[in-house]
Structure formats: C-alpha cells, structure tokens
Amino acid sequence: MDGQEESSKKRSLEESLDNEEASESAAPDNRKILKTVKVIRVLCPNYAVGSILGKGGERLKEFKDSTGARITVSKQGCMFPVINERYVSIMADLSTIQSVVKFIQLRIREDEFQPKDERELARFEKRKRVCKVVVSDNVIGKIIGKGGDNINELKTRHNVMIKTTNKKELPHELPREL
C-alpha cells in the first residue's frame, strides 16, 4: 500500500470517528451501552426448564420481550457436569438480570416435579432454596477474596450460605458453580 492510499484510509477512519462523535448526542454510544450490559449464567434443574420456557417457549418469549433481556437456555443434552443441570445465560443490565434470576428461581420453586421417592423429594425441596451461579475460574478468586474475606462479608451481610464447588470436583477447565 502506498503512502497516498494509507493517508486516504486514515482520513476516512478519522472522518467516520468524527461523524460517530457528532452523532453521539442523537443516538446512544454502543460502547456506553456495553459497559452497562452484563452476562451471567445460572443453573436450572432439567425438570424445571419446561416451567421456564412455557408451552412452545411462549412464557420465556413474553418475559424476554417485557424485560429486553437476552436469555438462552442450553439444549437438552448440554448440561453442567456432575450435577446435570442446564445453563440459562442472561445478557442485560444488572437490575434486569436480578429480575430474570428471580423469575427463574420462582419457576424452580413453583414447578410441579413429581419425585420418585422420599430421597428425591428431599433433594427437590433442598434445590428449591438454592440459586446456582456459574462463574469462570479466573473470576472466582475475586468473589472469594483474600482468605475468603469477600465471600465471608457477603454471607454475613446478607445472611446467606454461599458454597463454591471445589476445582477438583470438576473436569479440567470448566467454570465453577457458586
């Protein structure tokens, strides 16, 4: 590429950036929007997925439309190892994520699962009281904090039990459950 072509490309890039800056007041900047958008993954027992989706996926579609969140549920065979629960990925701003997690937890609690025996019933009742969040290995340390300081503060401040899966419990390179 000769100097003249390079100069022309630089000018066109600079002009497009100037035009983008000029239109900032008219339209929101995507970079600003992306800073407010978060992604979180929660786990959902396979038996409760139908309750979240609704008939033909209508319940989830309506919820997505009303909140503006991007919500995806992993396919039938794609489950978190060891505990065999499905992923629900949520992309939205923080307050919308909170609403979506509440919706999912409500569906899990209200599901009409029919356990086979007393042992399965006890597991089902216990699962109703738990929210499982999937966190990548490179983030879990920040959540736990040095010597467990952060996680202990969360437990005390919100009067909750927080448990993380041990790295050794999962196959190599998988995110951990919190």
Side-chain angles (χ1 to χ4, degrees):
M1 179 184 304
D2 68 12
Q4 193 173 24
E5 282 181 62
E6 192 172 315
S7 174
S8 174
K9 284 192 177 193
K10 281 183 182 176
R11 244 192 332 272
S12 111
L13 178 60
E14 288 169 359
E15 286 169 3
S16 68
L17 289 174
D18 288 342
N19 290 339
E20 187 178 302
E21 288 171 10
S23 66
E24 261 185 33
S25 58
D29 183 4
N30 286 340
R31 290 171 289 197
K32 290 178 186 173
I33 292 169
L34 288 176
K35 286 181 183 177
T36 63
V37 171
K38 308 288 181 217
V39 178
I40 188 171
R41 278 179 150 182
V42 294
L43 296 176
C44 177
N46 201 38
Y47 61 78
V49 170
S51 179
I52 291 169
L53 296 174
K55 188 171 184 135
E58 277 303 307
R59 179 180 287 138
L60 183 61
K61 183 184 180 316
E62 287 173 14
F63 192 74
K64 286 164 53 170
D65 290 346
S66 71
T67 62
R70 286 190 59 198
I71 307 167
T72 56
V73 179
S74 65
K75 300 228 183 283
Q76 179 68 31
C78 185
M79 297 200 200
F80 192 80
V82 182
I83 58 173
N84 294 323
E85 293 197 7
R86 297 194 25 206
Y87 294 97
V88 179
S89 298
I90 308 157
M91 180 187 244
D93 61 79
L94 189 56
S95 65
T96 303
I97 286 175
Q98 290 171 331
S99 297
V100 175
V101 171
K102 285 178 186 176
F103 166 78
I104 291 168
Q105 288 303 113
L106 181 65
R107 303 298 346 144
I108 291 170
R109 287 186 189 108
E110 292 180 350
D111 190 78
E112 297 294 324
F113 177 69
Q114 300 298 316
K116 291 179 261 180
D117 54 34
E118 290 296 316
R119 189 170 167 219
E120 194 173 67
L121 176 62
R123 245 189 347 259
F124 170 67
E125 290 299 323
K126 183 178 178 183
R127 177 60 181 95
K128 284 181 169 186
R129 298 185 306 268
V130 176
C131 178
K132 296 181 179 184
V133 180
V134 179
V135 181
S136 66
D137 236 8
N138 60 345
V139 175
I140 195 86
K142 294 175 184 174
I143 294 170
I144 294 171
K146 189 172 185 174
D149 289 345
N150 294 346
I151 210 160
N152 288 333
E153 182 182 339
L154 288 169
K155 288 176 180 179
T156 304
R157 184 187 302 170
H158 300 288
N159 194 28
V160 294
M161 184 177 92
I162 301 174
K163 190 174 104 176
T164 60
T165 54
N166 189 317
K167 200 174 188 177
K168 295 173 187 170
E169 294 174 21
L170 298 172
H172 182 64
E173 298 289 323
L174 280 172
R176 291 166 63 185
E177 170 195 349
L178 177 67

